Each structure stands twice: as C-alpha cells, then as structure tokens.
Amino acid sequence: MSFAGQASETATVSAARDRCAGAGQCVLAAPAVFDQDEQDGLVRVLDENPPASQSDAVREALRACPSGALALRR
C-alpha cells in the first residue's frame, strides 16, 4: 500500500491495544482494516497490510483515533 504515492512502498498498520480508548473511530473509518474486540471493545487489526484501495480510509482512521493508538510503518 502506498501512502506517499509510490507504488513500490509497502505500509504496515499496527495498533497499540494498551493505548486504545475503544472509541471505534478506526472501525467507522476503515471497517475492512479495523474492528473492535467483542469482549473488551479495544481495536483489532484485521489486515496489517491493506491494499492501496484502503489507503485513504486508513489515513482517516489514524487521524480520527483519539488516543493515538494506531501506527503506520513503511
């Protein structure tokens, strides 16, 4: 997935569950990439390497996360 417009870049999405507030903004922004655990309500990453078609949604999820629990690594 390219977040900088370069097709050769690969990005990995991760989440720090210990920082997650359970607000669910990531799920609303990118439901194909994020979910909430049924038991504790904390973030779960469904796809650590989502396709480029999800790049805008993933960026929105990172921006919307109130606790800063989400990360994107290249």
Side-chain angles (χ1 to χ4, degrees), residues 3-72:
F3 289 95
Q6 298 176 355
S8 63
E9 281 190 46
T10 301
T12 301
V13 176
S14 63
R17 289 176 49 89
D18 60 333
R19 291 186 65 184
C20 179
Q25 297 303 303
C26 57
V27 180
L28 293 174
V33 180
F34 302 102
D35 198 1
Q36 284 180 280
D37 188 281
E38 290 183 21
Q39 294 195 354
D40 60 15
L42 300 179
V43 64
R44 287 186 332 146
V45 177
L46 300 176
D47 188 351
E48 291 181 355
N49 301 104
S53 62
Q54 292 294 312
S55 64
D56 288 342
V58 169
R59 276 191 297 237
E60 176 59 23
L62 269 73
R63 186 199 63 73
C65 180
S67 64
L70 306 178
L72 181 65

